[in-house]
Amino acid sequence: MTSSLTFAPLIPWPVLAGLVLLALAVGGLGIARGGRAGWLRLLVMGVIAVALANPRLIAERQTPLPDIALVVVDQTLSQAIGDRPAQTEAALAELRTRLGRLANLEVRVERVTSPPGQDEGTRLFAVVERALADVPRRRLAGVVMITDGRVHDVPADLGRSLGAPVHVLLTGAPGERDRRLVAGQNPGFGLVGRSATFGFSVEDPGATGEAMVAVRVDGQPYAVMSVPLNRPATLEVPIRHAGQNVVELEVEPGASELSLLNNRTAVAISGVRDRLKVLLISGEPHAGERTWRNLLRADPAVDLVHFTILRPPEKDDRTPIRELSLISFPVRELFEEKLADFDLVIFDRYRRRGVLAAAYYRNLAEYVRHGGALLVAVGPEFAEAGGIADSALAEVLPAKPTGGQVAAAFRPSVTEIGRRHPVTAGLPGSKPGDAPWGDWMRLIEVSPPRGTTVMAGPEARPLVVLDRVGEGRVAMVLSDTIWLWARGWEGGGPHGELLRRLAHWLMKEPDLEEHALKAEIAAGRLTVTRRSLEQGFASVTVTAPDGTARTLALADQGDGSAIGLLPAAEPGLWRVADDSGLTAIAAAGSPAPLELAELTASPDRLAPVAAATHGGLSWLAKGGVPELRRVGPGVGPDAGRGWIGLVERGDHVVEGVREIPLLPALAFLLLGLGGLLAAWRIEGKR
């Protein structure tokens, strides 16, 4: 219970003040004239003035509120190395014990961890603001942080906004050393088939000399290089495919290491294709020729070079070839000088007419063996003698004609292995319940082909055949009536999707590889997808960022893919490998988390905070938890040698208020009347 004096005047203060001045003037005049009761009259007027001022005693019923001390415990990645976890838990236990001995103090403990999938560093002050959102600053006794000092959200005006001391207890030890690999400014993308240059450095303060850095591209060893310490370095790596190209760097351990986690880093570079160059050679004129042209011209990323041989063989009148076309066919330029510049060469019903010399067919075969892509769509000319099957190009073709053909309507179908091949797996209309495809009208018979037959015609005859030759790829479509699908004949079919997949498989699009391993991380979960033409369950080995490995079983989905799921909360690079040597890499958060960039404990970032809030900073390794004291607000320092202080606020809640008149009205009346009677009697004896 506390009390205070207040006034509730019965008349306005200015009026009351005027009356008091008037009473003083009148009383003073009476005393000056020698009146015997002048002083008594002044006393009566004073009593009346006090009565009009209405003095009252205010009695409050208060309940004291405990002060609040906030303990913030850093449990992010950098705090998990060495003996820091043990230091942290021992300091927290000691703090709880000592704080529990202090009266009128509420203790709150907030643990700060690294959120999965995020790379924002250590954000202790964001947690402080959230924990104190419901706490008035007049109740905050102080904040104690147990951390290694690597904090990434220190506010500039903390001393003014918090209004309480911040004390820092540092884990680790002074003078720690650690070697780390730091990525520099790097390109976000690069052109497929070219190289990208990125920078990095090996930071090892106090050390001199060089260190060996191992480089891997997409999980495969690429180079080992010697790099000078504490100086910028650069590296060129090839962009081999579209999509994400992951470049990993790992430096050898130094003389002093806190952890090897920051001895490696990774850079993800998106591979983008320049405009694709496609050479289309059309031979025998037919209704489907425009289908190829329209499909390729509709893609803005394709530069199409199209030549059509219009002269049929029966028009042989010995006219020179160069005199038969408006533009001379640049045979030598295309098939000698510029052939390697094309990403894809397409022969559509091409018939040998003496336009290409035998040497050019050999050039085409070598082009395929050295990584080129060839698509051959054939018609009746393929079954005739003297066709491309009788040239040097036959060495890379997966099928040879028998001389026969099926000239009747048939409905194409996806083969058993085609249901697992990414070129034909899941094509619209290939699943049970889908609308059936329309018929084709002709199929060229071939001997048993090599490679993979993904589509078949009547009696399981090969219709679409894929093959790998050397470093290149070849596809054959053994019919010239796919254009019926484009026209919607009997419902049509997915001609555009099929031809697009064929072209991109030939050009080695990663998403269309029939033997591939892919890893993705989303919402803290690792998804591993393995593509294979083989059926059955499979397993892969998953290596976490900390180096631990485990086996993950994959479930066959029936379409050539097998999928497995695994929790992946730990940030960093996750590596997946199967028994065939395929590898995949996925990054949880950043490939090089900010939390692991610097692992040495340091007071540099939090020392200004402690100074601005009149708090203290000390190393746990040099004296343990300091003594705790309660200090008055603004009385003196809040920290000193070997001790830290928590402000004693003394806040309270008022639960009730009672007003008591200083004197009852009757008492004022009696005093006033008594004074007047006394003055009258004194003056009456004169």
Side-chain angles (χ1 to χ4, degrees):
M1 181 78 73
T2 60
S3 301
S4 60
L5 181 65
T6 187
F7 294 90
L10 301 177
I11 60 177
W13 282 110
V15 177
L16 180 59
L19 292 177
V20 170
L21 292 175
L22 180 61
L24 289 173
V26 173
L29 182 60
I31 293 173
R33 290 181 176 181
R36 299 175 59 186
W39 290 105
L40 189 58
R41 290 180 183 277
L42 279 177
L43 178 62
V44 172
M45 291 179 185
V47 170
I48 294 174
V50 171
L52 291 175
N54 192 20
R56 308 178 75 80
L57 195 64
I58 304 298
E60 292 184 348
R61 189 168 67 255
Q62 299 177 349
T63 299
L65 294 176
D67 298 332
I68 293 177
L70 176 64
V71 180
V72 181
V73 183
D74 182 357
Q75 291 184 315
T76 54
L77 294 176
S78 62
Q79 275 282 84
I81 65 173
D83 60 351
R84 293 182 190 178
Q87 275 186 309
T88 300
E89 292 303 321
L92 177 60
E94 183 66 20
L95 269 179
R96 287 183 185 272
T97 301
R98 296 186 184 184
L99 290 171
R101 297 172 185 160
L102 300 179
N104 197 39
L105 186 67
E106 176 186 335
V107 180
R108 298 185 179 183
V109 177
E110 291 287 336
R111 297 179 181 266
V112 182
T113 58
S114 300
Q118 298 183 19
D119 185 30
E120 299 179 348
T122 301
R123 304 185 62 80
L124 298 190
F125 290 96
V127 173
V128 169
E129 291 296 326
R130 185 171 66 251
L132 298 179
D134 62 337
V135 177
R137 293 298 184 262
R138 63 179 181 271
R139 291 184 59 194
L140 183 60
V143 177
V144 181
M145 293 182 171
I146 306 175
T147 177
D148 57 10
R150 295 299 181 180
V151 181
H152 303 97
D153 67 337
V154 178
D157 61 343
L158 184 73
R160 294 189 297 272
S161 63
L162 199 57
V166 175
H167 305 294
V168 181
L169 305 182
L170 287 172
T171 59
E176 291 176 336
R177 287 183 56 188
D178 183 59
R179 175 177 289 181
R180 62 195 183 101
L181 205 155
V182 182
Q185 295 292 329
N186 298 302
F189 65 91
L191 294 177
V192 175
R194 301 185 185 179
S195 295
T197 303
F198 65 92
F200 66 96
S201 62
V202 178
E203 302 292 336
D204 194 346
T208 58
E210 297 183 338
M212 302 304 295
V213 176
V215 184
R216 289 189 295 271
V217 179
D218 291 331
Q220 301 299 321
Y222 174 69
V224 177
M225 57 190 299
S226 180
V227 176
L229 297 175
N230 306 308
R231 291 173 57 187
T234 59
L235 173 68
E236 284 195 2
V237 294
I239 306 300
R240 296 170 174 166
H241 58 79
Q244 191 177 70
N245 295 254
V246 179
V247 182
E248 300 174 82
L249 294 91
E250 184 171 358
V251 64
E252 62 181 343
S256 298
E257 291 284 11
L258 291 174
S259 172
L260 297 180
L261 291 175
N262 59 352
N263 284 39
R264 57 179 181 264
T265 188
V267 178
I269 303 176
S270 295
V272 295
R273 291 189 181 274
D274 200 356
R275 293 181 64 85
L276 301 174
K277 295 183 178 180
V278 178
L279 173 62
L280 172 60
I281 305 295
S282 298
E284 188 77 18
H286 68 109
E289 179 181 346
R290 187 174 295 272
T291 299
W292 292 100
R293 182 179 179 86
N294 291 345
L295 177 70
L296 295 169
R297 288 178 64 89
D299 190 341
V302 171
D303 280 338
L304 176 63
V305 177
H306 184 195
F307 288 95
T308 302
I309 310 301
L310 295 176
R311 185 174 176 83
E314 62 270 14
K315 295 293 185 179
D316 187 6
D317 57 3
R318 302 183 185 276
T319 303
I321 296 295
R322 66 177 61 91
E323 298 179 10
L324 294 177
S325 59
L326 298 177
I327 301 175
S328 178
F329 189 26
V331 177
R332 182 175 179 277
E333 182 180 5
L334 289 177
F335 293 98
E336 285 189 8
E337 301 175 2
K338 301 292 186 181
L339 183 59
D341 294 340
F342 289 101
D343 298 289
L344 173 64
V345 176
I346 302 175
F347 281 101
D348 175 32
R349 287 203 62 176
Y350 179 75
R351 185 191 299 270
R352 294 178 65 191
R353 292 191 172 92
V355 175
L356 298 183
Y360 296 147
Y361 291 106
R362 287 193 294 271
N363 290 348
L364 278 168
E366 289 302 311
Y367 159 80
V368 172
R369 293 189 182 97
H370 288 88
L374 176 65
L375 174 59
V376 179
V378 301
E381 79 291 337
F382 185 66
E384 298 174 359
I388 59 175
D390 294 331
S391 69
L393 193 60
E395 299 173 5
V396 298
L397 296 180
K400 305 293 177 61
T402 62
Q405 59 179 294
V406 177
F410 68 92
R411 184 157 296 173
S413 63
V414 177
T415 64
E416 187 65 30
I417 200 169
R419 294 189 181 95
R420 303 185 62 84
H421 200 289
V423 169
T424 47
L427 277 176
S430 64
K431 299 178 181 178
D434 290 348
W437 291 337
D439 289 341
W440 290 10
M441 293 297 180
R442 181 161 40 226
L443 182 145
I444 308 304
E445 294 182 339
V446 294
S447 57
R450 65 173 184 262
T452 305
T453 300
V454 295
M455 292 183 67
E459 301 178 3
R461 291 182 173 91
L463 179 60
V464 177
V465 182
L466 311 178
D467 193 22
R468 295 170 182 258
V469 180
E471 297 179 6
R473 302 183 183 188
V474 181
M476 293 190 70
V477 180
L478 300 171
S479 175
D480 60 344
T481 57
I482 190 175
W483 62 272
L484 293 171
W485 277 2
R487 305 286 178 86
W489 171 258
E490 294 186 349
H495 77 288
E497 180 67 12
L498 174 60
L499 298 181
R500 184 193 68 80
R501 292 190 192 182
L502 276 173
H504 285 276
W505 177 83
L506 287 165
M507 292 184 288
K508 304 176 183 178
E509 181 69 31
D511 290 341
L512 290 171
E513 291 294 321
E514 61 268 40
H515 297 283
L517 191 62
K518 184 178 180 182
E520 293 180 331
I521 293 179
R525 187 172 64 176
L526 172 68
T527 302
V528 178
T529 304
R530 180 179 182 269
R531 292 206 64 94
S532 175
L533 299 182
E534 300 174 357
Q535 298 184 6
F537 291 88
S539 63
V540 294
T541 301
V542 179
T543 304
D546 62 1
T548 58
R550 61 175 296 181
T551 299
L552 175 64
L554 308 181
D556 196 330
Q557 305 299 301
D559 60 352
S561 64
I563 297 177
L565 304 175
L566 187 70
E570 182 181 348
L573 287 177
W574 291 70
R575 183 172 285 102
V576 182
D578 67 1
D579 295 337
S580 67
L582 292 175
T583 61
I585 296 172
S590 170
L594 181 61
E595 250 307 308
L596 299 179
E598 296 176 287
L599 296 178
T600 54
S602 170
D604 296 343
R605 295 179 184 174
L606 293 180
V609 175
T613 60
H614 307 289
L617 185 146
S618 60
W619 291 89
L620 291 171
K622 297 179 66 174
V625 178
E627 178 189 350
L628 296 179
R629 299 179 185 177
R630 298 304 301 272
V631 296
V635 174
D638 296 332
R641 183 181 297 273
W643 68 274
I644 56 177
L646 298 174
V647 180
E648 197 165 6
R649 298 294 188 180
D651 197 19
H652 62 273
V653 173
V654 177
E655 295 186 347
V657 178
R658 182 183 178 189
E659 292 188 3
I660 305 173
L662 191 62
L663 283 176
L666 180 60
F668 280 112
L669 179 61
L670 292 176
L671 286 173
L673 291 176
L676 290 175
L677 288 174
W680 176 73
R681 289 194 62 175
I682 292 172
E683 290 178 348
K685 294 179 180 181
R686 182 180 295 182

